[in-house]
């Protein structure tokens, strides 16, 4: 996949892949965009660690096994492969965001990671041991600090959609001032994950919402015929006051 794009009437979000030199002195080639549950797990882990420690630098682990253990994820060859692959893809990708309204627009081109340290393990496989988040990305975390429950993230690891909904609710609900209704069209635009037809999106969204709600019991919401009604709710975990590192 060359790049991944989500588009609404006014905004476009694009994730572009980075590159990796496969051999010493060789040409750098694209390694693909991050995708799936493990990409989400890794990014949520980086965000949570940065907020908890009030630091742009996140220590992932000295090995893949060490990282899996720290994140509370099950071990196994497939889990190790996915963690290694998605960590590297996230470390080198770039996020682009554009917004247009009323004849004016804004464009932002933002890498997630400023720098990363890595080592080689068995089979000459490269593993990223630590990352330093880019200043711009870290500033966004400081402005919108949301600490997620690590146990909830692990419970939802097999459902990318449920992870997205859980994260979205954790960010949205504590900031609400009153009842907010979101129609099916808006829900599909934000959380559709490529679903082409509304009839396919609705049942999948319901199933994923139930899973997300099961680990975020404090979420005060109602699923209706017209969409989703949100009410102000406490965050999934106590939030902390952050300062600039």
């Amino acid at each position: 996949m060359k790049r991944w794009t989500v588009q609404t009437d006014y905004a476009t979000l694009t994730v572009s892949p980075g590159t990796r030199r496969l051999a010493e002195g060789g040409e750098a080639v694209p390694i693909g965009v991050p995708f799936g549950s493990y990409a989400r797990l890794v990014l949520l882990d980086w965000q949570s660690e940065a907020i908890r420690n009030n630091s742009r630098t996140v220590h992932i682990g000295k090995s893949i096994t060490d990282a899996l253990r720290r994140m509370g994820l099950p071990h196994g060859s497939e889990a190790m492969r996915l963690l290694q692959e998605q960590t590297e893809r996230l470390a080198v990708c770039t996020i682009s965001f554009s917004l247009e309204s009323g004849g004016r627009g804004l464009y932002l081109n933002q890498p997630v990671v400023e720098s990363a340290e890595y080592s080689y393990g068995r089979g000459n496989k490269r593993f990223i041991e630590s990352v330093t988040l880019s200043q711009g990305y870290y500033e966004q975390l400081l402005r919108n600090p949301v600490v997620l429950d690590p146990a909830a993230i692990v419970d939802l690891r097999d459902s990318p959609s449920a992870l997205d909904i859980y994260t979205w609710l954790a960010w949205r609900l504590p900031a609400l001032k009153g009842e907010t209704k979101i129609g099916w069209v808006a829900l599909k635009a934000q959380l559709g994950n490529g679903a082409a037809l509304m009839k396919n999106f609705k049942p999948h969204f319901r199933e994923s919402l139930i899973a997300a709600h099961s680990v975020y019991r404090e979420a005060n919401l109602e699923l209706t015929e017209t969409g989703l009604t949100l009410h102000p709710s406490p965050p999934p975990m106590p939030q902390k006051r952050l300062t600039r590192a």
Side-chain angles (χ1 to χ4, degrees):
M1 184 184 298
K2 293 185 177 181
R3 62 181 182 177
W4 180 78
T5 300
V6 175
Q7 191 166 8
T8 67
D9 291 342
Y10 303 105
T12 301
L13 174 70
T14 300
V15 181
S16 300
T19 60
R20 178 184 182 185
R21 182 169 293 172
L22 299 180
E24 186 174 351
E27 183 179 353
V29 297
I31 62 171
V33 296
F35 69 92
S37 293
Y38 272 76
R40 290 165 171 82
L41 290 169
V42 171
L43 186 59
L44 292 175
D45 176 66
W46 292 356
Q47 293 173 351
S48 297
E49 287 295 299
I51 291 172
R52 287 193 193 97
N53 298 320
N54 195 25
S55 172
R56 288 200 293 145
T57 299
V58 177
H59 298 284
I60 299 169
K62 290 295 184 181
S63 67
I64 300 177
T65 300
D66 186 23
L68 286 168
R69 184 183 302 112
R70 183 185 62 78
M71 295 171 66
L73 296 171
H75 292 199
S77 58
E78 183 64 7
M80 295 173 73
R81 182 188 70 80
L82 288 170
L83 183 65
Q84 185 274 336
E85 175 188 81
Q86 297 304 321
T87 298
E88 185 169 14
R89 290 186 177 203
L90 274 169
V92 297
C93 76
T94 300
I95 299 175
S96 301
F97 177 79
S98 62
L99 177 68
E100 293 185 2
S101 180
R104 296 185 61 81
L106 169 70
Y107 181 78
L108 175 66
N109 193 36
Q110 179 69 67
V112 177
V113 171
E114 178 180 289
S115 63
E117 295 185 6
Y118 60 87
S119 62
Y120 287 92
R122 287 181 298 178
N124 203 34
K125 292 184 177 179
R126 185 163 70 179
F127 179 69
I128 295 176
E129 298 179 350
S130 67
V131 295
T132 297
L133 302 179
S134 68
Q135 186 66 42
Y137 191 81
Y138 184 64
E139 292 286 343
Q140 290 295 323
L141 292 180
L142 290 180
R143 283 193 284 268
N144 304 282
V146 176
V147 178
L148 303 175
D149 183 356
I153 294 172
V154 173
D155 286 344
L156 299 176
R157 66 182 180 274
D158 294 325
S159 176
S161 296
L163 275 171
D164 288 345
I165 293 172
Y166 169 72
T167 306
W168 176 68
L169 291 173
W171 171 77
R172 189 79 188 273
L173 293 176
L176 293 180
K177 302 301 182 183
E179 178 181 284
T180 301
K181 295 184 178 181
I182 306 174
W184 283 113
V185 172
L187 288 171
K188 183 174 178 295
Q190 295 180 67
L191 301 162
N193 289 325
L197 301 176
M198 183 64 76
K199 67 177 183 180
N200 296 329
F201 168 70
K202 285 185 177 181
H204 182 67
F205 177 82
R206 289 191 182 98
E207 181 180 349
S208 299
L209 178 66
I210 290 171
H213 200 197
S214 71
V215 297
Y216 186 6
R217 298 282 186 179
E218 301 86 354
N220 189 358
L221 54 84
E222 304 164 38
L223 191 62
T224 68
E225 289 298 320
T226 58
L228 189 64
T229 301
L230 304 178
H231 303 276
S233 307
M237 292 191 72
Q239 309 300 292
K240 60 180 289 187
R241 183 178 297 275
L242 300 176
T243 58
R244 297 178 188 273

